[in-house]
Amino acid sequence: MTKRSRATIVEKLIYIKYGELTLKGKNRREFVTCLYNNVKKALADFKTIKIIRQFDSMTICHIAKTKYDKVFSIVKAIPGIAYVIEGYGIGRDENKLHAFLKTTIENKKQTFKVFTKRSDKSYPLDSMQFSRNLGGFVLKNFKNLSVDIHKPDLKINVEIKEDKFIVYFNKVKGCGGFPLGINGRVLMLISGGIDSPVAASLLMKKGFHVDFLTFVSPPHTSKEAENKVRSLIKQLTLDGRLEKPLLYICKFTDLQHEISHITNHSYQITIMRRYFFRIAQHLVKTQHYDAMATGESLGQVASQTIESMTTISSVLDNVVVLRPLLTYDKIEIIQLAEKINTYNISILPYPDACSMFVPANPTTKPSLAKAEALEKELMLIDEIYKRVIGKHIKREFV
Ligand code: ATP
Ligand code: MG
């Protein structure tokens, strides 16, 4: 077959299988609609593309040849997709299918198996008969190939749709999880470090819409530190393709100065983080988030012991803190950061509000009573806190 005639009957497309397949009924409908809208949004600037949604899969057609790889890499990052498949759409004619396989199957393979799924039950052959016929064709035309039903080198998958056959040989794992936004809205405390962006990506994967809060202390922290946070968020959302989140930037300098007057410096981080949490709680309640989140991981630093977490969280009233990295090792976190391409941004050397003002010996077991007593010593702190939440939180879309 000439290249030209093949091009007219075969279309290279992207075939998507959903994740979390245990979903049923109304939940599944909601899942599919949400995922469909997310895919549409992510691919909005590829004008030719058509997306067909079905009960258990989605097909992306009319992809310009030069854009195929780019579209594929975007789809791989969209939460809620279990498998992303390089597929071929062929008119529903077994002769065309045969012609396609003749030009496509590689000589190197030794064993094969045909997998048929008949989505359109009105097709005259059932999947067993279809597989048998197609298997017969392959055996006849490829003398080097034999059938192996257990561990074939080559899997020939054919799905019979209403308007076409979809053929594919391999499937690539997608992001998995749930479609963005389906599980609620979370406010992520993001620093310029390695952990919080990774934590945010895990929450996005679980279907949360994530907005961000960062604390800055100018002039002790630089504009670059702020821009670093913006870059991290852009990387997480594939430059706004997946979502356009809000970033709250809280100028923490006045509180930081006041906190530096406490008489027991080993509590400085504890008190600072209690104010981080109070401010986050204020936003969670006024902006109606379902939860807040951090990149904390147990035992990494003084502020990340159970005692610290208890003393810090005790400022919260009916607000849950999600800590997706709680049990992760640093090495695992770094591997994830590399995978989602945030690592190289995170290691840029611009200190954030947390890394300034670190006492020589931070306490690892702060008591709540002591923390409360130390806060009482700070005469101006309530007033400053009110001013910060009233005037020192800017917001922007990233
Ligand atoms: P990260 O790599 O995310 O900075 P870390 O291991 O350095 O984490 P800490 O600096 O103790 O740990 O911070 C723990 C968590 O507190 C962070 O993951 C983040 O959620 C939050 N946090 C720390 N500093 C800031 C900041 N300047 N602005 C907003 N949140 C912060
Ligand atoms: Mg940090």
Side-chain angles (χ1 to χ4, degrees):
M1 188 168 45
T2 65
K3 246 188 169 167
R4 190 185 164 83
S5 62
R6 185 179 147 187
T8 54
I9 55 168
V10 178
E11 182 190 5
K12 194 165 169 193
L13 42 78
I14 296 174
Y15 189 44
I16 292 172
K17 299 272 194 185
Y18 308 148
E20 308 286 346
L21 280 171
T22 48
L23 291 173
K24 297 254 160 29
K26 183 173 157 284
N27 283 346
R28 179 184 272 266
R29 265 198 306 282
E30 205 189 321
F31 182 109
V32 175
T33 306
C34 187
L35 181 60
Y36 174 75
N37 290 332
N38 291 347
V39 173
K40 218 163 91 176
K41 211 164 43 180
L43 301 179
D45 35 307
F46 301 95
K47 301 289 182 220
T48 58
I49 275 177
K50 187 176 161 211
I51 306 163
I52 303 161
R53 69 174 136 170
Q54 276 165 329
F55 178 71
D56 60 349
S57 61
M58 230 177 263
T59 313
I60 304 175
C61 316
H62 303 181
I63 310 166
K65 205 171 164 192
T66 51
K67 305 282 193 255
Y68 189 91
D69 292 347
K70 174 81 185 158
V71 174
F72 198 90
S73 72
I74 294 168
V75 174
K76 253 180 78 181
I78 299 176
I81 296 174
Y83 290 104
V84 188
I85 296 166
E86 191 177 308
Y88 299 88
I90 299 171
R92 278 200 349 184
D93 171 341
E94 283 170 66
N95 291 326
K96 289 181 183 168
L97 175 59
H98 293 170
F100 168 72
L101 291 177
K102 269 189 175 166
T103 59
T104 314
I105 291 178
E106 294 170 28
N107 277 329
K108 312 197 276 274
K109 308 280 184 194
Q110 294 182 343
T111 60
F112 79 102
K113 180 179 175 183
V114 177
F115 299 81
T116 305
K117 186 172 164 203
R118 190 175 58 150
S119 304
D120 174 13
K121 301 290 177 218
S122 73
Y123 195 77
L125 300 180
D126 69 21
S127 51
M128 286 285 278
Q129 291 164 326
F130 192 95
S131 291
R132 209 176 304 128
N133 284 0
L134 192 57
F137 164 81
V138 173
L139 283 173
K140 204 166 131 206
N141 286 275
F142 295 88
K143 299 291 181 214
N144 54 323
L145 279 176
S146 61
V147 175
D148 181 346
I149 56 168
H150 301 295
K151 268 192 118 193
D153 301 332
L154 174 69
K155 294 178 182 169
I156 304 173
N157 297 274
V158 182
E159 301 209 4
I160 304 171
K161 302 283 183 189
E162 272 166 18
D163 60 334
K164 57 171 140 334
F165 297 140
I166 292 182
V167 183
Y168 62 91
F169 305 101
N170 300 306
K171 45 187 190 180
V172 175
K173 269 215 167 95
C175 173
F178 291 89
L180 274 172
I182 206 164
N183 279 332
R185 298 167 68 242
V186 169
L187 183 66
M188 178 83 217
L189 276 68
I190 188 168
S191 68
I194 296 168
D195 303 347
S196 37
V198 173
S201 84
L202 292 174
L203 291 168
M204 289 167 73
K205 177 181 165 180
K206 272 290 160 192
F208 289 104
H209 167 85
V210 179
D211 284 337
F212 297 88
L213 164 64
T214 194
F215 297 98
V216 295
S217 295
H220 312 293
T221 58
S222 62
K223 262 276 170 250
E224 281 91 342
E226 226 175 283
N227 283 333
K228 184 176 168 186
V229 169
R230 289 190 186 93
S231 307
L232 285 167
I233 296 172
K234 283 201 173 124
Q235 183 56 47
L236 285 168
T237 61
L238 300 187
D239 238 334
R241 276 186 195 283
L242 303 183
E243 290 208 279
K244 288 237 184 300
L246 265 176
L247 168 63
Y248 300 89
I249 302 176
C250 176
K251 192 166 138 251
F252 197 74
T253 320
D254 296 350
L255 277 169
Q256 192 123 43
H257 286 163
E258 182 64 8
I259 293 166
S260 70
H261 293 127
I262 54 168
T263 48
N264 181 343
H265 283 277
S266 70
Y267 270 68
Q268 197 147 327
I269 297 255
T270 311
I271 308 289
M272 183 181 84
R273 296 184 65 78
R274 280 164 61 87
Y275 277 92
F276 280 6
F277 273 34
R278 285 182 173 107
I279 293 166
Q281 164 163 255
H282 164 77
L283 288 173
V284 166
K285 292 199 168 167
T286 56
Q287 308 302 313
H288 310 293
Y289 288 99
D290 299 301
M292 57 187 261
T294 70
E296 286 163 297
S297 167
L298 256 183
Q300 262 192 16
V301 291
S303 66
Q304 298 181 7
T305 61
I306 286 288
E307 292 84 351
S308 271
M309 287 185 198
T310 307
T311 299
I312 293 162
S313 308
S314 72
V315 300
L316 300 177
D317 173 26
N318 208 18
V319 173
V320 68
V321 185
L322 304 178
R323 298 179 173 96
L325 299 178
L326 192 75
T327 61
Y328 283 52
D329 292 342
K330 196 73 188 184
I331 291 180
E332 294 172 311
I333 299 173
I334 289 174
Q335 279 168 351
L336 281 175
E338 281 170 339
K339 191 170 152 210
I340 61 169
N341 295 318
T342 53
Y343 183 74
N344 285 337
I345 308 172
S346 290
I347 57 174
L348 295 171
Y350 309 119
D352 61 38
C354 218
S355 19
M356 324 289 297
F357 301 93
V358 178
N361 288 309
T363 171
T364 53
K365 293 188 190 306
S367 87
L368 177 57
K370 249 191 218 162
E372 285 177 340
L374 288 166
E375 282 174 4
K376 286 220 172 70
E377 290 176 4
L378 302 169
M379 303 301 284
L380 299 175
I381 197 109
D382 288 347
E383 207 178 300
I384 298 172
Y385 170 72
K386 282 189 197 127
R387 195 167 68 225
V388 168
I389 58 170
K391 291 198 182 136
H392 291 177
I393 305 178
K394 286 189 302 177
R395 46 182 255 172
E396 65 186 46
F397 284 100
V398 178

